[in-house]
Amino acid sequence: MKNIRKELEKRILIIDGAMGTMIQRYKLQEADYRGERFAAWPSDLKGNNDLLSLTRPDIVDAIHREYLEAGADIIETNTFNAQRISLADYNMEPLAREINVAAAQIARKAADDFTVANPAKPRFVAGAIGPLNKTLSISPDVNNPGSRGLTWDEAVEAYTEQVDGLVTGGVDLLLIETIFDTLNAKAAIFAIKQYFTTTSRPELPIMISGTITDASGRTLSGQTLEAFYISVMHAAPLSIGLNCALGAAEMRSHIAELSQIAACYTSAYPNAGLPNAMGEYDEQPEQTAHFLEDWAKEGWVNIVGGCCGTTPDHIRHIAEHVSTFTPRPLPETETELA
């Protein structure tokens, strides 16, 4: 397998931008999501973006290639909600593994094509593992604080199935992202570690990306950034970082803090600013790139890209703006007690 660590030592790597934002540009209708195979499906399917890896793989492939053309070193699979817990919204739980395999194969082919065209710039595929639409730490019932929407075992089972699909499809990395509940992330970490322990497959690097939800500097489940970092470092991740919820301007202080405490590589892919009154993102590519250039200049980051509202234009500008800066060096860790 291509060695991503060697690339991280050389330069700041670029991860892609938003998949959902790009899908919205196609203005897809119910029939696009259904295709022939699911034409008679009993529930509405519009909005199930992960399903497009089966019904409109051409669109998913085209989006990956736009990001690769823009300079992305790492592309994420179209699998943010592709586990049986989230797919239950569409009564499609049995399709979880198949969707992950298909999505990984689409991204794999696109990345390999670009690597072959330019071997000096290898491209990597990150299997996107989202946070679930249910949480292990927070009650869904305001009148019953002890209530939970799912159990630990259910979360682990769902994540294990997703990991199996992604690995079978050929990903290079596993990205646990948009973490708002650290216990959900721990279930994903446990599932990954257990999967590689109990199968003969070579273990893949883990990337972890949390979400600071507001100006308090905490995750939705109440942890500070440092507490979140300490809670997941047992996974020995390739990188740890932040994405979503905030634009780059709001994320800046948190990235600065993370760069000081992280013993691994750091990543950051913010939204294109904050959403406007219509829920849309107005921050232009050169604006987002300017913020991330500042982080690169400060030596805070190893991997940068974009989340909600970002497009290939954002990624192109980001790639250009950080290209002249050296990546954040890994800190030297003490191996003996003082």
Side-chain angles (χ1 to χ4, degrees):
M1 190 190 79
K2 304 177 296 293
N3 192 334
I4 193 170
R5 293 181 187 274
K6 287 185 178 179
E7 298 303 315
L8 283 163
E9 291 172 5
K10 299 177 190 174
R11 56 196 171 89
I12 296 173
L13 296 190
I14 307 299
I15 195 167
D16 60 8
M19 174 64 73
T21 297
M22 294 301 291
I23 289 173
Q24 289 172 10
R25 289 186 169 189
Y26 283 84
K27 301 187 184 305
L28 301 179
Q29 302 304 312
E30 181 72 22
D32 293 293
Y33 286 87
R34 289 179 175 271
E36 292 183 12
R37 179 177 172 184
F38 304 105
W41 199 260
S43 56
D44 290 344
L45 298 179
K46 185 178 180 181
N48 185 1
N49 288 345
D50 304 286
L51 181 62
L52 295 173
S53 295
L54 299 181
T55 56
R56 291 301 305 269
D58 57 314
I59 289 176
V60 178
D61 177 68
I63 292 170
H64 284 321
R65 290 174 188 273
E66 281 195 65
Y67 279 122
L68 290 164
E69 189 67 42
D73 298 289
I74 304 168
I75 55 171
E76 299 179 52
T77 55
N78 180 36
T79 54
F80 186 77
N81 290 305
Q83 28 61 33
R84 60 176 51 247
I85 292 170
S86 297
L87 287 171
D89 289 348
Y90 303 94
N91 301 306
M92 285 191 154
E93 299 97 311
L95 291 168
R97 185 181 185 279
E98 181 183 355
I99 290 173
N100 281 279
V101 173
Q105 289 174 337
I106 294 167
R108 176 80 276 148
K109 178 64 166 62
D112 287 348
D113 286 350
F114 274 76
T115 298
V116 169
N118 184 6
K121 184 179 171 66
R123 312 302 177 101
F124 302 90
V125 176
I129 300 173
L132 307 182
N133 59 356
K134 295 182 179 180
T135 169
L136 288 167
S137 295
I138 303 171
S139 172
D141 182 357
V142 295
N143 297 311
N144 183 5
S147 175
R148 293 294 182 270
L150 80 162
T151 67
W152 169 268
D153 288 345
E154 288 169 341
V156 170
E157 182 181 5
Y159 277 134
T160 300
E161 183 179 34
Q162 181 173 27
V163 168
D164 181 49
L166 292 169
V167 174
T168 300
V171 302
D172 300 304
L173 316 154
L174 292 167
L175 169 58
I176 306 169
E177 66 171 343
T178 320
I179 300 164
F180 60 86
D181 181 352
T182 308
L183 195 53
N184 283 30
K186 283 177 173 285
I189 293 168
F190 181 85
I192 292 169
K193 295 294 186 180
Q194 180 176 254
Y195 176 79
F196 288 117
T197 299
T198 56
T199 66
S200 59
R201 297 182 184 272
E203 188 168 356
L204 299 181
I206 299 173
M207 298 173 66
I208 295 175
S209 186
T211 297
I212 300 297
T213 53
D214 55 35
S216 71
R218 294 175 181 266
T219 64
L220 189 64
S221 56
Q223 282 190 309
T224 63
L225 178 57
E226 185 174 13
F228 165 70
Y229 167 76
I230 292 170
S231 296
V232 298
M233 278 311 294
H234 67 281
L238 173 73
S239 67
I240 190 160
L242 296 173
N243 76 289
C244 208
L246 304 177
E250 296 77 23
M251 192 182 284
R252 186 182 193 278
S253 62
H254 306 306
I255 294 300
E257 178 186 357
L258 184 63
S259 73
Q260 297 301 310
I261 62 176
C264 59
Y265 295 108
T266 57
S267 69
Y269 48 113
N271 291 348
L274 297 177
N276 60 27
M278 303 300 293
E280 298 177 344
Y281 295 87
D282 299 322
E283 189 171 277
Q284 296 303 301
E286 57 272 17
Q287 294 174 292
T288 306
H290 174 74
F291 288 117
L292 272 62
E293 178 184 16
D294 178 50
W295 302 351
K297 184 186 299 184
E298 294 287 349
W300 293 342
V301 290
N302 301 101
I303 303 168
V304 294
C307 201
C308 301
T310 60
T311 66
D313 284 341
H314 289 81
I315 298 306
R316 183 174 294 104
H317 277 76
I318 291 169
E320 292 171 354
H321 278 252
V322 305
S323 63
T324 60
F325 297 99
T326 56
R328 167 185 171 272
L330 285 180
E332 295 184 9
T333 55
E334 296 290 338
T335 56
E336 298 179 0
L337 293 176

